[in-house]
Amino acid sequence: ERCGLQTVIDATPADCGRNMAFLKAVSERTGVHIVASSGYYYEGEGAPAYFKFRMAYGDAPEEIYQMMRREVTEGVGDTGIRTGVLKVATSAGRITDYEDLFLRAAARVSAETGTRIITHTQAGTMGSEQARRLISYGAKPEHIMIGHLDNCTDMDELLKIFEQGVYGGFDRLGIQGFTGGRRSWAWRAAATPISSSSPTTASSACWATPGSTRSRTLRTWPTGTGPTSLRTSSPGSRRWGSARSRPRPW
């Protein structure tokens, strides 16, 4: 809080260690608002066993929708803490039937409540298809952020994403050693002019140099649009793309 940090959006999905009690304790101790997520990770590295079973012997689509909606409107379990964003994820080079259930549920909840959606793209792939499906399932483009786009080295794919009017996250800067992305590519992609009819931005990205406690913030923006960043003021009044004064690179 002393450094000016006001809000953290924790995009950890339920099956990757989301801990509401821990987030609450950190928020109360630091005075920083923390917005938790509702959703599940992609099939290959998440915990798909239960809902894959329900796909065969239950009503998985409705159960996933009800779970997400309940966490957004009432709270997670008996904590009374509501989630403020929806997290969905897909595999490298494909979207499985299991993963599509969460895309459908997230789009439905977003359309009904206005809750924003953050996605995980594996190896920088399937972003444009994520956007296409979420929009076709009812989510508004301006309520969607396609994540990890600094791992995408296909400029045509990036343009397909942004031409749909969604936001993009260049959010793994500094950790390319184990994510496979290339920092120099992210800079070039973020600086590429996009049609003024496509309201696209790059998100703020934060990282720390290994062995250092000094965190860094990088904000990038398409040519001619001015600096913008992802901002969530509170779970009850979520806003994205709030303009700010021109920052230093870090």
Side-chain angles (χ1 to χ4, degrees):
E1 186 179 25
R2 291 193 301 270
C3 297
L5 180 64
Q6 298 178 346
T7 303
V8 171
I9 299 175
D10 179 20
T12 304
D15 56 343
C16 287
R18 183 189 66 183
N19 187 325
M20 304 302 288
F22 175 75
L23 296 180
K24 181 176 184 291
V26 171
S27 179
E28 291 176 342
R29 182 173 178 178
T30 63
V32 174
H33 298 287
I34 301 178
V35 182
S37 302
S38 179
Y40 271 55
Y41 205 40
Y42 78 96
E43 185 173 347
E45 293 187 7
Y50 174 77
F51 282 116
K52 290 189 75 172
F53 174 81
R54 297 303 294 167
M55 288 171 68
Y57 299 104
D59 188 3
E62 184 64 20
E63 291 177 17
I64 294 170
Y65 159 74
Q66 291 292 345
M67 174 191 69
M68 285 186 167
R69 183 174 175 84
R70 183 170 56 253
E71 291 187 348
V72 167
T73 60
E74 300 177 19
V76 177
D78 59 0
T79 66
I81 303 173
R82 293 178 294 168
T83 55
V85 294
L86 302 165
K87 177 68 176 288
V88 294
T90 60
S91 301
R94 67 188 183 118
I95 297 177
T96 68
D97 292 342
Y98 167 83
E99 293 160 353
D100 190 66
L101 293 178
F102 291 91
L103 296 180
R104 291 176 181 272
R108 185 177 171 187
V109 173
S110 179
E112 294 174 354
T113 66
T115 308
R116 276 46 173 175
I117 299 171
I118 297 176
T119 81
H120 166 95
T121 56
Q122 185 65 12
T125 66
M126 305 310 295
S128 63
E129 181 63 12
Q130 286 182 349
R132 187 194 69 79
R133 293 195 191 194
L134 288 169
I135 294 169
S136 71
Y137 297 155
K140 294 182 178 180
E142 62 269 27
H143 290 176
I144 301 167
M145 187 181 81
I146 306 300
H148 310 329
L149 293 185
D150 42 320
N151 281 356
C152 178
T153 57
D154 183 344
M155 186 62 71
D156 290 336
E157 168 68 2
L158 291 173
L159 292 175
K160 289 178 182 178
I161 293 169
F162 292 140
E163 285 170 353
Q164 296 181 70
V166 300
Y167 287 88
F170 292 82
D171 47 31
R172 285 185 160 182
L173 302 173
I175 59 173
Q176 284 77 9
F178 61 89
T179 65
R182 295 188 300 181
R183 181 170 167 182
S184 60
W185 175 267
W187 278 105
R188 186 162 72 89
T192 299
I194 307 294
S195 168
S196 60
S197 62
S198 300
T200 60
T201 84
S203 72
S204 293
C206 299
W207 76 96
T209 303
S212 169
T213 59
R214 177 172 177 258
S215 63
R216 295 177 174 180
T217 299
L218 168 67
R219 297 186 181 93
T220 55
W221 51 91
T223 302
T225 65
T228 55
S229 65
L230 167 62
R231 179 185 178 190
T232 296
S233 54
S234 71
S237 59
R238 293 174 288 275
R239 294 183 294 118
W240 296 52
S242 176
R244 295 184 178 182
S245 60
R246 182 178 294 272
R248 296 178 180 176
W250 55 66

